[in-house]
Amino acid sequence: MSRVLNLILAGAVVVLLQWLFFGRLEIWGAYPDVVLLFLIWLAVRHGRVYGAVGGFLVGFALDAIYGLWGIQMFVKTLMGFLVGLVANIRSEVMEKLILRTVEATFVTTLVHNAILVLFVMLQSGTGRGSLVWAICVGGTLYTTFVAFLLSVFRSR
């Protein structure tokens, strides 16, 4: 039970850090998504159920903060489940791939951001290319860079 509470507290701290700090580190409309990095870690470490439930909870918190009701919740739940499912199939190999290499983080973030942009465009009824450029390309590269920095500091 204390492990679950620790994970919930860690998720709340990551959401607050995203909202108060990382969301403000915007470069050309792109910002890093440390909540997604936390979710990837959670799903790889604890499996698809923790990934899906964690994705739902952090997505709900992000929807409440940013007013995108249902979009972040759905996308984060889907990504938590899918990463946990793939990690369950090849647990040791996937943990090294997702947590230690830039390529796997890049692919996971790109899929997440593409689904997120699709739902935001469907909700707003627009097809703005700047949104695709900022979130899909910029956000993916920025989040991958932050994941690289975290893996460098983690390895020391």
Side-chain angles (χ1 to χ4, degrees):
M1 187 61 156
S2 70
R3 178 174 68 165
V4 173
L5 292 176
N6 286 340
L7 291 174
I8 290 172
L9 181 62
V13 167
V14 169
V15 168
L16 284 174
L17 282 173
Q18 176 71 38
W19 178 46
L20 296 173
F21 181 69
F22 288 102
R24 310 232 190 281
L25 294 177
E26 190 171 315
I27 298 176
W28 296 305
Y31 57 89
D33 191 354
V34 295
V35 175
L36 179 62
L37 296 177
F38 170 75
L39 189 59
I40 291 170
W41 172 82
L42 181 70
V44 168
R45 180 73 96 176
H46 298 288
R48 66 180 185 249
V49 173
Y50 275 80
V53 171
F56 177 81
L57 292 175
V58 297
F60 181 79
L62 289 172
D63 282 342
I65 290 170
Y66 294 117
L68 297 171
W69 288 106
I71 294 176
Q72 288 277 1
M73 196 171 17
F74 174 74
V75 175
K76 297 281 194 252
T77 302
L78 179 66
M79 291 309 296
F81 178 78
L82 291 177
V83 170
L85 183 66
V86 172
N88 192 22
I89 294 170
R90 301 171 151 191
S91 61
E92 186 175 314
V93 174
M94 283 305 296
E95 184 175 30
K96 288 181 181 179
L97 282 176
I98 291 176
L99 295 177
R100 301 205 179 201
T101 65
V102 174
E103 296 89 9
T105 304
F106 178 79
V107 169
T108 304
T109 307
L110 184 63
V111 170
H112 170 270
N113 289 345
I115 294 170
L116 182 66
V117 165
L118 176 71
F119 280 106
V120 167
M121 287 185 348
L122 286 173
Q123 182 189 29
S124 64
T126 63
R128 296 182 5 208
S130 62
L131 186 66
V132 173
W133 178 255
I135 294 178
C136 276
V137 177
T140 299
L141 292 174
Y142 204 172
T143 302
T144 304
F145 179 71
V146 170
F148 171 73
L149 289 178
L150 288 173
S151 69
V152 167
F153 288 119
R154 182 176 179 250
S155 65
R156 290 186 174 224

